[in-house]
Amino acid sequence: MSNWNCLNVGVVGGGIGGMSVAIALRRAGHAVTIYEKSDYAGEVGASVSCAANGTRWLHEWGVDVAKGDPVVLKKLINRDWKTGEPVSIYDLDDYEERWGYVYNMFHRQYMHAMLKDSALGEEGEGTPAVLKVNYRCRDINLHTGEITFENEAIAYHDLIIGADGIGSAVRGILGIRPEKKPSDQSCLHANVTTEEAVKAGLVDYSQDSALEYWGGQEGKWDKIVLSPCNGGKLLSYYCFFPREQGDYTTQSWGAESRSTDELLAPYPKLDRQVFGHLGIGKEIQPWRLWVHEPYPYIQRGNVCLLGDAGHPMMPHQSQGACMAIEDAAALGILFSRRYFSGDIRQALAVYEEVRLPRVTRVQSAAARAAYNINERIGFSCNKEIPTYRVEDQKNVLTIEEMNAYDMYKDIEEKLAVKQGQTYMGSFLCGLPVGLELPSGIVIGAA
């Protein structure tokens, strides 16, 4: 576009979303400064899912994915709560062939370091982003683009992105007051090393290269989720149970490790193999779970929200990081030489129109999957198993919907409408017209 110009971009928050958008916007030719409220010293380890709809952007941005030491997932396995026998398996053997990219599972710290290298490093397109730590956002002037920090520093930016997580300060500055309630479910997270599990004579789950679940078929809140990461050396466990058995809604991650007795207490009848794994768990931390209603908007003026700041969701679709990466990709495209007309507000209006419907759909599906694993992407297609029940078959979220999505087409469609042009593409909201989803929905059908 002839009106393209280099913007001075401020990103509030230096987590996975903040680093992702810094990569996308530096590649688009802009000058990016990231402001992080901490110094990262308190970062603790848990796993992060990155399905094909997230992985594709890492490759497009030239990120060195190997630095993240991922496990490439081969299966999703749901096991019987008591016996550990598989109840439902979703095979990912043809996943890369179908979708062009693998399903990666990262350790959060490794993934963050990988993205940080791409955002700040000399290699790669564009000018390296600048990172400033211990910069906690106090206020933003939505008219002038002035950010005031608690250390009294002031910065001015043409475009400001709030990537500051579920407790976002930028969200409040935009006037969004979340409607939220504590989940009926609590969660403790624990790390187990494969080496220690094998030494204890326990099953080596790392050999499965799978996301594994115990429970979730019975409409109850009890569920164990195992995510392998660090090439299988670390097993990351998310242990869910009813909130009345332990309420962690006001607890913060990063405090002293909880005891294994506390971790095991809700699970007297759990499969003895995974029970044994949890018994040697380390770094046992509570995970606050709140259910947020979708926000009415995610941008105002020259400021927008990204990731958990704009659409916190329950973890049960393993799409939180992917949605933040997709947000970053959308901004990278909208502010690229090909699409940016020079009108920041128009670009952010399109960003909202592209992102809000998609993230809201994932939010809703994640809330349903909290108590019914059949709603989870992948298992939602396993209609032949005897225990398969879903709320509404037409409304289930499927791998096809997530991975056949073309963000460029979605942006072109929305941008054409904004600019008073006719969109001639054969896509609707980023999905190919005529695509039949396993839910029975045909894209574009009346």
Side-chain angles (χ1 to χ4, degrees), residues 45-47 69 71 105-110 189-196 206 226-237 282-283:
S47 59
D69 194 21
V71 168
M105 183 64 65
F106 293 101
H107 184 295
R108 179 173 295 275
Q109 288 165 307
Y110 283 65
H189 176 269
N191 283 325
V192 174
T193 67
T194 294
E195 184 182 9
E196 283 184 275
S206 73
L226 159 60
S227 314
C229 50
N230 284 153
K233 296 184 288 294
L234 188 72
L235 306 174
S236 184
Y237 279 99
K282 304 276 195 328
E283 298 171 316

Side-chain angles (χ1 to χ4, degrees), residues 272-286:
R272 291 296 97 180
Q273 280 292 337
V274 72
F275 190 87
H277 273 237
L278 299 181
I280 55 172
K282 304 276 195 328
E283 298 171 316
I284 300 166
Q285 295 285 334

